[in-house]
Amino acid sequence: MFPREFEYVAPSSLDEALGTLASNPGAKVMSGGMSLIPMMKLRLFSPELVVDIARIGGLDGIEDRGDHIAIGALVRHETTAASPLVQQHAAALASAAAWTGDRQVRARGTTCGALAHADIAADQPAAALALGATMVAASSGGTRDIAAADFFVDTLTSALEPNEILTEVRIPKSSGSAYDKLGRRGGHTDYAVAGAAAAVTMSDGTVSSAGVALTGVGTKPTIAAGSVEAIVGTDGSAEAIAGAVARATEGVTVLEDLYGSAEYKAHLAGVYVGRALEQAIAATG
Amino acid sequence: MQVSMTVNGQAVSGDVDPRTLLVHYLREDLRLTGTHVGCETSYCGACTVIVDGKAVKSCTMLTAQAEGAEITTIEGLAENGDLHPVQEGFWERHGLQCGFCTPGMILSAVTLLDENADPSEDEIRLGIEGNLCRCTGYHNIVKAIEYAGAKLRGEEPAPAEWEVNA
Ligand SMILES: Cc1cc2nc3c(=O)[nH]c(=O)nc-3n(C[C@H](O)[C@H](O)[C@H](O)COP(=O)(O)OP(=O)(O)OC[C@H]3O[C@@H](n4cnc5c(N)ncnc54)[C@H](O)[C@@H]3O)c2cc1C
Ligand code: FES
Ligand code: FES
């Protein structure tokens, strides 16, 4: 099994890559290839030109920028997972990266690639949503910021234009965040049957702000607005969390798939919202 | 397109179609058929090789992406005819039955032990989650990796279960 024929370029600078994308409407960005290559092998997708961004310098760092951390386009899942900066300030993302695929996938796939790919059951998008991340998209015309809440548009569809490269994701620092999921192969292994991420800020014993997001249950990774509304302003107690669990899928289209009925998935969404909130709140203490 | 890389310590180069997957280049152009093709869908890990120190699935990597890389396949693991401790572990602890998954399993285990010299049983099982075996039930694979870990740490491996239970 191998892809249809295509042309391949591996530019060494961002400008060169953006120029190539601008002048070739049939071009596709490739980063780790962990989602793109399987899709091309199955011939679900057959670009004319693959622009491999992996040789562009300066995109492989994780930086502390004061109030946020920035993760470059080429940072691989294993690096995100093991980063002390990410573990300390964006624990939900560190867990989501650690539980993305397997050792081999984590050694090649990138955090930004997982966001750009926007799979309905991917891990890191849920963490990015809960943490209120911002995506930085570059094209030959300049750069623009896209809020995570506006980034995941539909199944396998992000807000990126075909000529744009996601150069980094910026994550506001949070002392209280967590992600948990049921993997398709049990435990935390493989894509989420259902999973949830939560990020909370406590002030004077009250949840002053929160982000809660779901993955695996609908047409895209999505914010659980009902849970956010339920938890903000409470003391973060078990009772308050139960209130957020009850509203986990409010306004969310839950879909049946190979891994479970809509009813089962809605149930799991609640279970994981509860676990993520509990861990996130405990972490603030 | 032209590609060049180092495979098992030897510089190689060739002319490939951009769509040539690394596993096909290794097996068909370089004739290193120890790297197996199992599922072809990125799940089974039979095609695992080590690229720049990391275990990767060579069915999910373009040869072009490996330009300039250092690659180790199962053929390159033994040195001067001496089995690598992980290979020895699979031999000593019966870590294989049909052997189809074995090259990939061994190379994943090599990188697992590189990162974590003394993994727990759980860490070993999670460390090989990207490699499927349809024969063994994994039990002896875990024992083989424990054996190799001990050897690499310079310790005496625990005796085989069949010796203890004899
Ligand atoms: C066996 C296996 C198991 C997996 N299990 C999981 C799992 O449990 N959870 C999970 O979340 N994911 C899982 N994945 C998917 C994995 O996370 C991918 O690595 C990730 O989805 C894509 O990252 P990548 O860098 O490999 O991107 P690629 O495959 O190179 O690209 C994927 C898509 O994103 C676009 N893209 C990538 N980077 C950029 C960028 N910087 N700018 C613009 N567009 C970009 C590409 O054009 C393409 O459309 C699995 C994959 C495999 C093969
Ligand atoms: S053949 Fe590559 S993962 Fe199965
Ligand atoms: S020994 Fe047969 S698949 Fe593992």
Side-chain angles (χ1 to χ4, degrees):
Chain A
M1 208 162 65
F2 47 86
R4 289 203 179 91
E5 283 185 2
F6 57 86
E7 298 287 319
Y8 170 92
V9 290
S12 54
S13 79
L14 184 60
D15 283 348
E16 196 185 336
L18 294 174
T20 306
L21 289 172
S23 50
N24 293 278
K28 186 75 177 156
V29 171
M30 182 167 82
S31 185
M34 288 299 103
S35 295
L36 187 58
I37 295 175
M39 284 175 66
M40 288 171 62
K41 286 170 68 180
L42 290 167
R43 305 194 177 197
L44 296 172
F45 190 73
S46 299
E48 287 159 25
L49 172 67
V50 168
V51 180
D52 183 351
I53 62 172
R55 298 195 187 254
I56 298 175
L59 294 181
D60 60 352
I62 302 182
E63 285 174 29
D64 189 335
R65 303 249 184 91
D67 63 345
H68 69 274
I69 52 178
I71 300 180
L74 300 180
V75 173
R76 306 199 190 271
H77 305 315
E78 63 172 22
T79 311
T80 300
S83 158
L85 267 180
V86 182
Q87 289 172 356
Q88 188 185 346
H89 302 294
L93 186 68
S95 300
W99 299 332
T100 296
D102 49 49
R103 144 184 313 278
Q104 293 96 318
V105 169
R106 289 190 290 274
R108 298 228 22 101
T110 62
T111 287
C112 284
L115 299 174
H117 188 58
D119 195 283
I120 59 163
D123 301 296
Q124 291 167 86
L129 280 167
L131 287 157
T134 300
M135 320 293 170
V136 181
S139 69
S140 55
T143 63
R144 63 181 179 125
D145 293 353
I146 310 169
D150 302 323
F151 188 78
F152 302 102
V153 176
D154 202 350
T155 308
L156 297 184
T157 309
S158 78
L160 290 171
E161 297 294 335
N163 65 342
E164 284 181 318
I165 293 177
L166 175 57
T167 53
E168 69 180 27
V169 54
R170 294 183 184 152
I171 319 227
K173 286 183 181 175
S174 162
S175 60
S177 78
Y179 173 70
D180 203 354
K181 70 164 173 178
L182 172 64
R184 288 178 183 169
R185 289 204 279 140
H188 292 131
T189 296
D190 211 344
Y191 283 102
V193 176
V200 297
T201 311
M202 303 284 292
S203 29
D204 301 329
T206 301
V207 178
S208 52
S209 68
V212 182
L214 300 173
T215 190
V217 301
T219 54
K220 58 175 187 173
T222 182
I223 287 176
S227 297
V228 174
E229 207 178 279
I231 200 74
V232 172
T234 70
D235 59 356
S237 62
E239 201 186 350
I241 293 174
V245 166
R247 296 177 62 185
T249 55
E250 195 177 290
V252 176
T253 315
V254 179
L255 294 179
E256 175 182 47
D257 64 14
L258 284 174
Y259 307 94
S261 65
E263 194 188 355
Y264 174 62
K265 293 207 154 211
H267 170 73
L268 282 183
V271 169
Y272 286 100
V273 163
R275 290 186 190 175
L277 273 173
E278 201 178 309
Q279 290 175 51
I281 290 166
T284 62
Chain B
M1 61 185 292
Q2 286 295 318
V3 288
S4 51
M5 61 196 80
T6 306
V7 179
N8 300 330
Q10 287 195 316
V12 296
S13 56
D15 186 15
V16 299
D17 197 319
R19 63 175 165 169
T20 309
L21 299 168
L22 181 59
V23 69
H24 294 141
Y25 179 65
L26 294 171
R27 287 178 56 85
E28 288 156 26
D29 291 16
L30 303 184
R31 293 281 163 193
L32 294 170
T33 54
T35 304
H36 290 167
V37 180
C39 67
E40 292 199 83
T41 59
S42 316
Y43 269 94
C44 75
C47 63
T48 299
V49 299
I50 299 177
V51 176
D52 292 333
K54 303 287 179 183
V56 310
K57 292 174 177 174
S58 63
C59 77
T60 315
M61 185 166 175
L62 303 175
T63 310
Q65 289 175 288
E67 170 65 32
E70 288 211 20
I71 297 177
T72 304
T73 68
I74 193 69
E75 289 90 345
L77 211 50
E79 273 179 44
N80 307 320
D82 292 331
L83 294 183
H84 182 282
V86 178
Q87 291 174 303
E88 187 185 314
F90 274 67
W91 173 275
E92 289 292 336
R93 291 295 177 266
H94 292 285
L96 60 143
Q97 288 179 22
C98 80
F100 198 81
C101 69
T102 312
M105 199 65 88
I106 286 177
L107 293 167
S108 278
V110 168
T111 62
L112 163 67
L113 292 170
D114 274 349
E115 285 164 31
N116 181 353
D118 194 4
S120 65
E121 179 181 340
D122 277 0
E123 287 169 338
I124 292 175
R125 287 182 181 273
L126 277 177
I128 55 169
E129 70 186 326
N131 295 78
L132 302 181
C133 175
R134 299 308 295 246
C135 302
T136 65
Y138 302 96
H139 183 84
N140 283 357
I141 292 177
V142 174
K143 296 291 165 201
I145 297 171
E146 285 174 348
Y147 175 104
K151 277 270 167 160
L152 286 164
R153 295 191 303 274
E155 295 165 13
E156 187 60 30
E161 285 167 302
W162 51 85
E163 285 164 7
V164 175
N165 299 333

